[in-house]
């Protein structure tokens, strides 16, 4: 099995997974009163990055289809059919990305919880994501206007035009947009893809705001240190 472009949820590095780094297991059982023959498939993937070596565990319940014309109950005689009936992220429990420790704790806490319950309750996930987005705007831009809608409008001239399009796009669609001017803690019904879009937006903004700012500061500090060292060396020669 080869998973090209697999991204480790722990170190965020992209890698190609080869057979030595992955383990699969199938359990076949019968439920004659409902879906018939079912398959529980688990996959363990170990990150090939030597500095990481973490592993992920996922499981999915499928309808199973026989691949053997003869009657057989062996696991190798069945293959999953169609989309999973149920699926689980067992380790880590969500698709939340690991971000640097300098990101404010309340923002990371809301983001990670939004990811954790995204599939179980999209509307609760979207509520946490809206709160996270408001927290980011208030912390990073120092804007506090009472409602998330007003705060988003206030940063239009401050952010990159492409980033603004993404933010405005999310606040303009579906139930999220319809309730943007209400209390962010109000739980509203949303489609799963709306909750997913909010989480994706938060990930982009963390990278574009917090991480980009820190990298810029580090790069500028490095240039300043080089200039200071050069000036010191020149002074010693005089």
């Amino acid at each position: 099995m080869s998973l090209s472009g697999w991204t480790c949820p722990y170190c965020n590095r992209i890698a190609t997974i080869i057979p030595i780094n992955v383990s699969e297991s199938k359990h076949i059982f019968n439920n004659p009163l409902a879906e018939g023959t079912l398959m529980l498939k688990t996959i363990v993937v170990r990150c090939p990055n030597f500095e990481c070596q973490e592993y992920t565990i996922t499981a999915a319940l499928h309808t199973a289809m026989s691949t053997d014309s003869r009657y057989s109950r062996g696991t190798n005689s069945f293959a999953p059919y169609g989309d999973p009936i149920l699926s689980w992220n067992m380790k880590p429990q969500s698709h939340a990305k690991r971000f640097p420790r300098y990101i404010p704790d309340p923002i990371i806490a809301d983001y990670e919880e939004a990811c954790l319950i995204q599939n179980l309750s999209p509307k609760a996930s979207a509520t946490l994501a809206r709160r996270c987005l408001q927290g980011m705007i208030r912390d990073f831009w120092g804007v506090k206007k009472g409602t998330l809608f007003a705060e988003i409008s206030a940063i239009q001239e401050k952010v990159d035009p492409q980033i603004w399009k993404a933010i405005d796009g999310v606040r303009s669609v579906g139930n999220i947009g319809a309730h943007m001017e209400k209390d962010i803690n109000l739980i509203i019904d949303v489609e799963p893809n709306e909750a997913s879009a909010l989480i994706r937006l938060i990930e982009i903004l963390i990278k574009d705001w917090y991480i980009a700012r820190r990298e810029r500061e580090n790069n500028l500090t490095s240039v300043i240190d080089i200039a200071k060292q050069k000036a010191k060396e020149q002074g010693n020669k005089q």
Side-chain angles (χ1 to χ4, degrees):
M1 177 181 182
S2 177
L3 297 174
S4 180
W6 178 83
T7 300
C8 176
Y10 295 97
C11 67
N12 289 326
R13 293 194 180 183
I14 299 174
T16 296
I17 302 302
I18 57 177
I20 195 173
N21 299 121
V22 64
S23 174
E24 296 186 26
S25 180
K26 296 185 293 184
H27 176 69
I28 304 296
F29 60 100
N30 193 261
N31 188 8
L33 298 180
E35 295 91 349
T37 303
L38 299 176
M39 170 189 292
L40 180 65
K41 183 177 181 180
T42 58
I43 301 178
V44 179
V45 179
R46 181 173 60 85
C47 178
N49 174 19
F50 182 76
E51 296 177 353
C52 180
Q53 297 289 296
E54 272 284 4
Y55 61 94
T56 65
I57 306 174
T58 57
L61 180 66
H62 291 267
T63 299
M65 179 179 63
S66 175
T67 58
D68 195 333
S69 59
R70 299 165 296 176
Y71 182 79
S72 173
R73 301 305 301 170
T75 57
N76 292 330
S77 300
F78 290 89
Y81 177 76
D83 294 329
I85 299 170
L86 293 169
S87 59
W88 301 268
N89 293 310
M90 303 174 70
K91 185 181 184 300
Q93 292 183 314
S94 79
H95 291 296
K97 298 182 182 300
R98 298 299 188 268
F99 288 114
R101 292 181 179 273
Y102 56 76
I103 309 299
D105 289 339
I107 290 172
I108 293 300
D110 282 344
Y111 162 70
E112 290 181 344
E113 190 171 349
C115 292
L116 184 62
I117 62 173
Q118 180 181 351
N119 294 327
L120 292 174
S121 178
K123 61 184 180 181
S125 175
T127 300
L128 285 162
R130 287 159 63 213
R131 189 169 74 179
C132 181
L133 177 58
Q134 185 177 63
M136 292 173 65
I137 292 173
R138 291 181 173 185
D139 174 73
F140 192 86
W141 295 105
V143 171
K144 188 175 182 179
K145 296 287 186 179
T147 68
L148 181 55
F149 185 92
E151 289 162 354
I152 288 175
S153 298
I155 65 170
Q156 180 175 359
E157 302 301 324
K158 302 175 183 291
V159 302
D160 178 88
Q162 286 296 107
I163 292 295
W164 167 252
K165 286 182 180 179
I167 297 173
D168 192 47
V170 169
R171 78 163 180 173
S172 301
V173 298
N175 285 334
I176 292 175
H179 296 84
M180 189 66 79
E181 292 193 61
K182 297 183 179 180
D183 187 345
I184 58 166
N185 293 313
L186 176 68
I187 295 178
I188 57 176
D189 287 325
V190 299
E191 298 294 330
N193 61 342
E194 291 182 81
S196 177
L198 264 175
I199 289 173
R200 178 63 181 139
L201 175 63
I202 289 167
E203 292 171 347
I204 291 172
L205 295 182
I206 289 175
K207 293 177 182 178
D208 193 76
W209 293 352
Y210 290 97
I211 295 178
R213 180 176 65 181
R214 178 59 65 93
E215 291 178 349
R216 179 176 179 271
E217 290 173 351
N218 289 341
N219 288 337
L220 289 174
T221 298
S222 176
V223 171
I224 292 171
D225 289 343
I226 291 173
K228 287 181 177 178
Q229 181 62 31
K230 189 67 175 178
K232 182 179 180 180
E233 291 174 356
Q234 291 176 344
N236 291 336
K237 291 179 180 180
Q238 294 176 357

